[in-house]
């Protein structure tokens, strides 16, 4: 008789364990569904952010390139440089490479061009980035030796 009671007791104990494991499994499955849904939402958000970043980079590239190129054309009217920004991903971050272009040749500003073009481009970059500020500071520039010579 005791053996039957011990077996019944063990059976009831194991039924309780099974029910508890089934509840835990159900909870884990619900959490897995929530995590999968969140993963899809994060992926969708990543795509939207990438698209916004690309549009922002295009607008920035246009604004900065146009203003700096106009400044370079004003200083070097006969054979002007133009400025190109190229956005590249390095080490998981987006960086902007700056190129001065003349007669179809791309040159790194600090290695392949004369100092005058670099001075003008650097000054024009500062002004173009200032013009993008929101809220914008006063329209006053105080210059103290803005160029190296």
């Amino acid at each position: 008789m005791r053996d039957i009671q011990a077996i019944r007791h063990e059976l009831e104990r194991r039924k309780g364990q099974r029910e508890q494991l089934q509840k835990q499994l159900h909870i884990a499955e619900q959490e897995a569904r929530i995590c999968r849904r969140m993963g899809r939402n994060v992926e969708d958000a990543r795509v939207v952010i990438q698209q916004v970043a690309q549009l922002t980079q295009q607008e920035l590239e246009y604004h900065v390139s146009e203003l700096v190129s106009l400044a370079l054309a004003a200083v070097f009217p006969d054979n002007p440089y133009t400025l190109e920004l190229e956005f590249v991903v390095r080490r998981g971050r987006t960086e902007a490479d700056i190129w001065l272009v003349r007669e179809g040749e791309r040159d790194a500003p600090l290695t392949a061009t004369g100092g005058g073009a670099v001075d003008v481009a650097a000054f024009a970059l500062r002004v173009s980035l200032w013009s993008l500020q929101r809220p914008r500071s006063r329209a006053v520039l105080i210059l103290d030796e803005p160029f190296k010579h």
Side-chain angles (χ1 to χ4, degrees):
M1 190 76 166
R2 284 193 178 251
D3 288 337
I4 291 176
Q5 285 179 343
I7 291 172
R8 280 187 183 162
H9 178 58
E10 181 66 21
L11 180 63
E12 291 301 319
R13 189 178 68 77
R14 289 190 182 209
K15 281 183 182 179
Q17 284 178 339
R18 187 181 106 206
E19 288 175 9
Q20 187 174 7
L21 289 173
Q22 285 176 333
K23 286 179 185 176
Q24 290 175 350
L25 178 62
H26 180 68
I27 291 169
E29 287 172 343
Q30 286 177 332
E31 289 175 352
R33 279 192 296 275
I34 290 169
C35 287
R36 281 191 294 272
R37 193 172 333 131
M38 287 176 62
R40 286 190 298 270
N41 291 344
V42 167
E43 182 62 26
D44 292 345
R46 186 184 63 78
V47 168
V48 169
I49 289 170
Q50 284 178 336
Q51 291 172 345
V52 168
Q54 288 175 343
L55 291 172
T56 302
Q57 289 170 356
Q58 289 172 356
E59 287 184 36
L60 178 67
E61 192 274 333
Y62 174 76
H63 179 79
V64 170
S65 294
E66 283 299 308
L67 287 176
V68 175
S69 294
L70 284 172
L72 288 165
V75 175
F76 304 102
D78 296 331
N79 193 5
Y81 287 97
T82 59
L83 182 117
E84 286 184 9
L85 285 179
E86 179 182 8
F87 291 97
V88 293
V89 177
R90 292 189 186 104
R91 298 173 298 279
R93 299 185 123 178
T94 302
E95 296 179 1
D97 286 342
I98 300 173
W99 301 99
L100 290 178
V101 180
R102 185 185 241 178
E103 297 175 352
E105 294 290 322
R106 280 174 120 186
D107 295 319
L110 298 179
T111 58
T113 62
V118 173
D119 283 346
V120 172
F123 180 74
L125 274 169
R126 287 185 193 108
V127 172
S128 66
L129 293 177
W130 168 79
S131 72
L132 292 172
Q133 283 183 344
R134 298 290 183 263
R136 188 174 295 160
S137 60
R138 290 184 173 200
V140 174
L141 290 176
I142 298 174
L143 305 173
D144 181 22
E145 299 180 20
F147 305 107
K148 57 184 166 187
H149 297 294

